[in-house]
Structure formats: structure tokens, C-alpha cells
Amino acid sequence: MPDLDDLLDIRTRRPAAIAAAASARRRPASLFGPHGKLMIIAADHPARGALRAGDDPLAMANRADLLTRIRAALARPGVNGVLGTPDILEDLLLLGALDDKVVIGSMNRGGLAGTSFEIDDRFTAYDAESIAAAGFEGGKMLLRIDPDDAGTVSTLQSCGRAIGELAARRRMAMVEPFISHRVDGRVRNELTAEAMIRAMTVAAGLGTTSAYTWLKVPVVRDMEKVMASTTLPALILGGEGEAAYGEWRKALDLPTVQGLVIGRSLLYPATGSVTDAVDRAVSLL
């Protein structure tokens, strides 16, 4: 197994090794871990230019450090998946970190953070064909619905097409929906029960079939009411600080919720180590 120092040599002189590593990867027998849930580490933030974690605006900018943190998280018992863009997942493939893991490729990364075109979230990373060719288990897409931004319709159409294309290949389509608005020039997600219900019901109806669609949603108030709006399986995202663990625990009691997709709060915990933070999250399952 190569180490971090070998990655540059492989990428420079033997790029075909990436496809070979994907072909040789041992795929998981199930989407679910030993706890009967999904526990996925999210690591697709850098491709959107979102490098902040906590108070450090460039926390995720050191790629070797980020990969070390991801590998530490993936090595913990109960962690059975990872979400990332091609650059990160291919590094992890070369490092031999993806055997038996549920691998979800991040698809639309064109809506760069802080840009005027953020809502028009083009599909600039994985597509359904490349996800299936790599032997990955699914694809993830962000769907921000801004009533005042016409770029929304392009994103809706692209997500609908991607959901159908993934389903045709029997791959999970993980959709992360929000109602969003620009506030002082910045895109903000509306984290209310009503907004999440609206966003989830729109997302659930996209594509030629919903057979392989999963939702990726935050914890908001009145989660029982929110999750009652769909029969699609859902995963809980994000959250920061000590309160997040309590919120995740309550959400996991809801029948629709099938696990967690957590990134920066576990990879860059405010206190303690990555392994401590990950183990605590796994214990909630």
C-alpha cells in the first residue's frame, strides 16, 4: 500500500493505477454497517472552495492532513462509508482505504461558495456513468431551491436527470435539498420545518423513479413532522458543537432516518481527536 509520499509519483508517472485500484477495490456486501445503519464520512467540501472548519478558514487546505484525518475516521469500527469528489476518492483508492466501504461520489460542485452563480449548481464532478464504472455505490447532489434565483431550474433539471441515470445503474442517488435565499449577497439555507418539508417533497419527486433516491438532511426543529413528509430513506448531515450529538441521537430514533453523513465536525473536532469524535458518533447508532 502506498503512503502519502508515494501519491505524487503515482499520479505523475502511473495515472492508470487509479482505475486499476478502483477495479481491485473490495466492494461492501451491504450498504449498512454492523449496527444496521450507514455511517458516512463527508469529505467533498474543498471542491466547492469551502475550506473552513471551526475558526480556521483554511483548515481543509492541507491535503495530506485532510487525507490522514479521513483515513483515521474510516479505520474506526462502525464507519462504513465515505463521500467525496474524484480527487479525494482517488487518493483514498491509491492509499487502499476504500475496501469494504460504501463510496459515494459527489456530482455537482459548480455552485462555488460565495459566487454569483452559486445556485446554478452545475454537475462538474462525477456523473452516473463514471460512478458505475468505478464500482462506487452511489452519487450525491446538492439541491438548493431559491425562489428568487432562476439558476434553480437548471439545478432541478440536472438533479432529476442524474437521479434517473443513477437509478438505471442501480446506484443510490443521495439528494441534499434546501430552500435557500440570498442574505446580504450570501446564500443562506432556511432551516425551518416548513422549508425542509417543501425542499424534501420537491427532491423526492425528481427523476424517472425514486427507487434509489435517499435524502440527506439537517436536524431542524419538529424533526418528527419533517421526516413524516416522505417515505424515502434519509441520512442526517452536519451539525457543530456538543449539541450536535444530542440532535443526532434524537433524529436516529425516527423510522425514516437510516444513518449519519458527517464531515467537518468529526474530521476537525473542536476538542479531542478524530477517533474520539468518530467513536462517539458511531455509538449513537
Side-chain angles (χ1 to χ4, degrees):
M1 179 190 304
D3 58 27
L4 291 172
D5 292 335
D6 296 327
L7 284 179
L8 179 59
D9 180 67
I10 294 173
R11 284 187 169 279
T12 303
R13 303 181 186 281
R14 293 183 288 124
I18 292 172
S23 179
R25 180 179 75 96
R26 193 168 60 243
R27 293 187 63 184
S30 167
L31 287 179
F32 305 99
H35 35 58
K37 301 287 187 181
L38 267 168
M39 179 67 210
I40 295 179
I41 301 300
D44 60 343
H45 310 81
R48 203 178 287 282
L51 301 170
R52 177 180 294 278
D55 295 329
D56 185 352
L58 294 176
M60 304 185 80
N62 186 310
R63 184 51 57 91
D65 176 66
L66 174 59
L67 291 171
T68 297
R69 291 170 182 269
I70 297 170
R71 292 170 77 190
L74 290 175
R76 301 308 300 164
V79 176
N80 69 311
V82 63
L83 161 65
T85 46
D87 54 330
I88 289 177
L89 293 185
E90 288 167 357
D91 279 346
L92 293 172
L93 275 172
L94 294 174
L95 292 168
L98 298 186
D99 281 346
D100 302 313
K101 301 299 183 185
V102 174
V103 182
I104 306 297
S106 193
M107 302 176 78
N108 59 331
R109 310 309 292 171
L112 302 183
T115 61
S116 62
F117 51 85
E118 188 169 349
I119 293 297
D120 186 354
D121 204 347
R122 305 293 175 96
F123 279 61
T124 56
Y126 284 112
D127 56 19
E129 182 179 3
S130 58
I131 286 168
F136 296 159
E137 283 63 49
K140 174 256 181 176
M141 60 206 80
L142 179 60
L143 173 61
R144 289 173 293 188
I145 302 167
D146 184 344
D148 299 314
D149 192 321
T152 296
V153 71
S154 174
T155 305
L156 281 166
Q157 182 181 45
S158 297
C159 286
R161 183 182 302 115
I163 290 166
E165 291 173 350
L166 287 165
R169 294 164 173 81
R170 298 187 178 184
R171 295 308 200 269
M172 175 197 290
M174 184 188 295
V175 187
E176 181 179 352
F178 291 100
I179 302 297
S180 303
H181 308 276
R182 284 198 182 270
V183 179
D184 297 328
R186 297 180 62 86
V187 175
R188 303 293 186 190
N189 298 325
E190 186 179 339
L191 300 178
T192 64
E194 180 181 353
M196 285 311 305
I197 289 169
R198 289 178 59 209
M200 288 165 57
T201 53
V202 169
L206 292 176
T208 53
T209 175
S210 63
Y212 293 87
T213 304
W214 288 52
L215 300 177
K216 178 174 181 271
V217 300
V219 177
V220 298
R221 293 186 65 178
D222 298 321
M223 276 301 281
E224 288 189 23
K225 181 179 179 181
V226 170
M227 298 314 301
S229 68
T230 183
T231 56
L232 298 185
L235 300 168
I236 298 299
L237 67 85
E240 295 183 1
E242 185 65 23
Y245 289 91
E247 293 173 345
W248 298 339
R249 178 183 290 108
K250 291 178 181 177
L252 286 164
D253 286 337
L254 300 173
T256 319
V257 176
Q258 299 298 312
L260 302 173
V261 184
I262 312 297
R264 287 176 286 196
S265 58
L266 298 185
L267 295 175
Y268 299 87
T271 59
S273 66
V274 171
T275 56
D276 291 340
V278 169
D279 288 350
R280 187 176 176 192
V282 169
S283 74
L284 303 178
L285 303 175

